[in-house]
Structures are given as structure tokens and as C-alpha cells.
Amino acid sequence: MEIRVQKVAQSRIGEIDFDNIPFGRKFSDHMFVCDYEDGAWKDARIVPFDYFPIHPASMSLHYGQTIFEGMKATKGKDGQPLFFRPEQHAIRINASAYRMCMPAFPEDLFLKALHQLVDMDQAWIPPQEGSALYLRPYMFATDEFIGVKPSSKYRFIVFTCPVGPYYPKPISLLADTHYIRAAHGGTGEAKAGGNYGGSLLPARLANEQGYDQIMWLDAKEFKYVQEVGTMNIFFVMNGKVVTPSTDGTILRGITRDSILTILKDAGYEVEERPVEITEVVEAYQKGELDEIFGSGTAAVVAYISKLKYLDTVMEMPEPSACKVANFVKQTINGIRSKTVEDKFNWIVPVGNALAR
Ligand code: COI
């Protein structure tokens, strides 16, 4: 499908201070939009970033048929704009669409749209290491109906924003023993809006106790670690790097997968398996809990300064002492800026799909 293009009359890029960008509040000039109606995706277009009208009965506003992705474009040291594993996001958004009973978005159109959009707005990619152009592909139901059924109309959008680090400082976590994020058979693996909506009250209650974020435990026994409000989670215990396995309740993080690949390749002992919270506490008490870090597209690698579970507060080392977190963070950021070899072929130069 051809993508029709309408360019802005005047770029807003002069308004951006690239040395001082808040996460997710500044938006680039253009966005990609495509609508689904009568069983087909139609009218793919790149238009100026702007408000659009929405019907009050629009189904996504009522029953939560809304899914999203988060991805990043960076510039290599040679100035070349790059994506990191874009095809994985095309696959994952369609897995989320399946779970939320929404139509798949064609993978080739997803990739073509990203390439064309970021090619046009490449001046918005911040040059600073650790900063990036964050891409937010998302899909939501637009049928004007308030009966509970899958919508027959959808809108798919990609907009982009220049961002600095999501967590500029180490964060503290509270393991929640009351609220849950996802049970087996639920929507935990989908990147669905409601999963994040449900995390807000527990996160606010954690903030009131002085913690930055929630760490989720399983919904049945509050025994196994799942993930953090905005990220997957890793523990360095007893010489091994351990992360909860993807069991249908946690997000299949693309950064998580990249970290596992990088660590295995570098010879680390890595385990993906159910992780009991008491095992983490015991490792801490024995002096064997070396690091905890979170991973996600927005966060990349986030240092955890402290974790509380019931009465135990586990104080973690300063970032400079977190060898594993620093290694994976530098490797991912290095691959993204082409200062570290891209052994795994994760980098895709922006514009490649345009040549097809
Ligand atoms: C991302 O890491 O890109 C995410 O989607 C998390 C988001 C809720 C900030």
C-alpha cells in the first residue's frame, strides 16, 4: 500500500532543547495514520502531528481495546539513523492485537511506515548517547457503539518524540503483596493499555511509602516475581543472572531478550525460570544478591537502588558497582550508536524499507 504524505508547513524543531528533553512530552512534526474499516486497512498517510476528532461512543474509550508498542530510533556515530530490532515490534503488536481481538496490522506496512516517518523526521533524533527518538505505534477501536463486542473499526497511529532517559536515576521498588498485574490466562503478555492503567493505583500507594515503582508478584500465591510497572526485571545472584520466564503473565520484552542474548554470548551464566521472592531475600541475607536491574525500551537498563518485600529492605549497590547492568547498558547503547559491533544484526538503517 502506498503511503500518502502531507508535510508540515513549518517545522517545530526549533522549540526543542535537545540537552534537556522530558520523556514523552515533546512530539515530532509528523505522524503515520491508517484506518481499518470493512475488513481492510485503508488510507495509509503521514500527516502533520495534530489533534483528531473522536466520537464519544468510540469503543476504545469504553472497553479498552487499545494496544501499543514502544521502540527507539538512534543515530550511529556516522550520523546514520537506525532502528533496533524493528521487526520484533511488528510481530509483538500483532500478538497483542490477537489477544485483544483486534485485526493484525500488516508487518510490511508497519515497517514501511516507520522507515518513511523517521526518514522524514530524522532531524528530531537526539544525538546524545542515552537519548533517542521514541516511537509510539498504537491501535485502538473506533466503532461508534456501546455494546460489548469487538469493534469493526480501528485506527493505527505512529507518532514519535525525542526523549532522554526514562529513569535518569536509580529507582526503588516495593514488591506488592496485595494488588496483582496479571493472572494466567489474562492479558499480561499483551501490551494492552489496561495492563498499565491497573498499575497506577498500586504505584501511587508505593510512592506514598517512598518507593518509585511496584514490583509485581504472581497473582495466585504472591510467591514468584513477575515484572516491574514499566519493565522486565533481572537479578544477579550467586554468580548467575536470573530473570522470570515468560509464562504468559509478563511482557515478552525485546530489551529483555536482547540482554539475555548479549549475556549468553559474553559467557555469563543466565537463567530464565520462575524466581521466588524469598530466594531473592535469602540471597540478600547471605550477601549473594549483587545487582537488580530493570529492562525496557524506554528505560533500556534501569538500576534498582532498593527493593522492599514485607519487612525486608534490600539496599543495592551504586550504579558504578553494577558490573552486569553496566555491561548490558553500554553494549545496547553502543550497538545503537554503532560504537559496539552489531554481532546479532539488530540494527536496521532507516530508509532501508523504502528501497524495496
Ligand atoms: C517501553 O519501555 O517502551 C514501554 O512501553 C513502557 C512504557 C509504559 C513507558
Side-chain angles (χ1 to χ4, degrees):
M1 191 187 304
E2 277 311 297
I3 301 176
R4 95 182 142 82
V5 175
Q6 182 198 342
K7 287 194 176 167
V8 290
Q10 176 80 48
S11 173
R12 289 177 285 100
I13 198 162
E15 297 165 13
I16 303 291
D17 170 5
F18 279 108
D19 288 320
N20 195 1
I21 340 171
F23 185 94
R25 291 213 179 265
K26 300 286 173 193
F27 305 97
S28 324
D29 284 331
H30 299 93
M31 62 182 186
F32 170 81
V33 185
C34 193
D35 291 312
Y36 183 88
E37 214 177 324
D38 302 325
W41 288 101
K42 295 179 182 164
D43 194 17
R45 56 211 187 266
I46 291 177
V47 291
F49 180 87
D50 205 354
Y51 291 90
F52 50 82
I54 187 155
H55 193 278
S58 200
M59 290 182 81
S60 56
L61 299 179
H62 301 267
Y63 308 122
Q65 259 190 314
T66 159
I67 56 172
F68 68 100
E69 274 301 306
M71 44 190 303
K72 280 179 172 167
T74 48
K75 275 191 180 155
K77 59 180 188 304
D78 51 1
Q80 165 80 61
L82 309 164
F83 291 123
F84 186 77
R85 311 189 72 183
E87 70 298 336
Q88 293 300 317
H89 293 273
I91 293 169
R92 192 171 66 180
I93 200 164
N94 283 334
S96 300
Y98 176 76
R99 178 62 184 84
M100 299 307 291
C101 207
M102 299 163 88
F105 193 78
E107 280 178 25
D108 55 348
L109 183 56
F110 180 95
L111 295 172
K112 184 173 169 174
L114 298 183
H115 280 274
Q116 210 164 321
L117 182 66
V118 175
D119 196 42
M120 277 173 70
D121 279 346
Q122 58 174 273
W124 291 80
I125 304 175
Q128 291 80 353
E129 172 148 354
S131 296
L133 187 69
Y134 186 81
L135 280 71
R136 174 48 61 90
Y138 64 112
M139 190 202 296
F140 56 99
T142 51
D143 215 353
E144 298 140 14
F145 179 60
I146 55 164
V148 179
K149 72 166 187 67
S151 177
S152 59
K153 294 198 276 181
Y154 296 87
R155 178 161 284 186
F156 180 90
I157 296 186
V158 188
F159 64 72
T160 71
C161 19
V163 296
Y166 192 77
Y167 292 119
K169 288 196 282 202
I171 60 165
S172 54
L173 301 179
L174 179 67
D176 205 313
T177 50
H178 177 73
Y179 291 100
I180 59 148
R181 176 181 182 275
H184 284 282
T187 59
E189 199 172 86
K191 217 162 163 56
N195 288 338
Y196 296 80
S199 76
L200 300 179
L201 174 67
R204 176 183 284 173
L205 298 175
N207 295 158
E208 285 168 8
Q209 292 189 52
Y211 289 83
D212 296 310
Q213 262 294 347
I214 286 294
M215 192 180 79
W216 298 110
L217 300 177
D218 75 277
K220 201 169 167 196
E221 301 174 274
F222 290 99
K223 183 172 170 190
Y224 298 100
V225 176
Q226 287 185 331
E227 62 176 70
V228 177
T230 46
M231 302 180 287
N232 295 117
I233 186 104
F234 286 79
F235 301 92
V236 184
M237 289 189 283
N238 212 355
K240 292 180 195 142
V241 187
V242 182
T243 193
S245 30
T246 50
D247 62 351
T249 66
I250 72 170
L251 189 77
R252 287 181 178 271
I254 293 163
T255 309
R256 172 189 178 280
D257 179 73
S258 308
I259 289 175
L260 290 171
T261 306
I262 289 167
L263 289 175
K264 284 179 197 161
D265 178 71
Y268 281 87
E269 211 178 319
V270 177
E271 292 178 355
E272 281 181 86
R273 60 168 171 80
V275 182
E276 287 189 32
I277 183 66
T278 49
E279 152 188 10
V280 176
V281 172
E282 276 163 31
Y284 179 76
Q285 286 163 345
K286 287 196 217 149
E288 290 173 354
L289 179 61
D290 298 330
E291 296 175 39
I292 309 177
F293 59 90
S295 73
T297 297
V300 187
V301 171
Y303 303 100
I304 306 302
S305 55
K306 133 174 125 166
L307 167 63
K308 183 174 186 207
Y309 170 65
L310 299 176
D311 292 333
T312 309
V313 177
M314 295 165 257
E315 300 278 354
M316 301 308 299
E318 289 293 306
S320 58
C322 296
K323 270 174 50 189
V324 180
N326 286 328
F327 169 65
V328 287
K329 183 174 175 183
Q330 282 157 14
T331 307
I332 292 180
N333 283 339
I335 293 174
R336 283 193 160 134
S337 57
K338 278 183 146 172
T339 52
V340 167
E341 185 198 348
D342 176 24
K343 280 191 189 176
F344 313 105
N345 286 319
W346 286 337
I347 289 301
V348 178
V350 169
N352 260 13
L354 304 180
R356 280 191 208 142

